Amino acid sequence: MDYLPELAHNGHNWTTYASSVLCAISDEGLMGFLVGSERRPTHPAELIGRGEGWTPQTDDEREEVAAWQAADQSWTQRNVMVNYTIVSSIPD
């Protein structure tokens, strides 16, 4: 993400800061994390019909868990990018 202005301690540049953060996040295609439309993938064990203690028993179920792990890792990395973009330019 491009350079972002640091938020001033007194917040006087809030409008510029907020606009820059939103543009940077939007440019990366990550606005869904701010508006709530980019939801974390659901673990296969949490799907309807699978109770507590469910473990994959078949090759298809193991592939389903592996696909979830990849999707969850991708979601986590993109979520971290959004959080970092917001907090990295806020002063201590």
Side-chain angles (χ1 to χ4, degrees), residues 14-80:
W14 169 251
T15 302
T16 302
Y17 168 78
S19 178
S20 296
V21 167
L22 291 176
C23 285
I25 290 170
S26 180
D27 287 350
E28 294 294 324
L30 300 171
M31 280 300 280
F33 287 88
L34 293 183
V35 299
S37 61
E38 187 69 38
R39 298 182 56 149
R40 187 172 203 153
T42 302
H43 190 285
E46 297 173 5
L47 298 175
I48 294 175
R50 296 178 177 167
E52 191 173 317
W54 176 86
T55 58
Q57 301 296 314
T58 66
D59 287 343
D60 286 345
E61 290 175 342
R62 284 186 278 279
E63 288 176 17
E64 185 180 1
V65 170
W68 167 81
Q69 287 172 328
D72 191 62
Q73 182 178 15
S74 174
W75 183 92
T76 299
Q77 289 172 344
R78 294 178 300 136
N79 188 54
V80 166

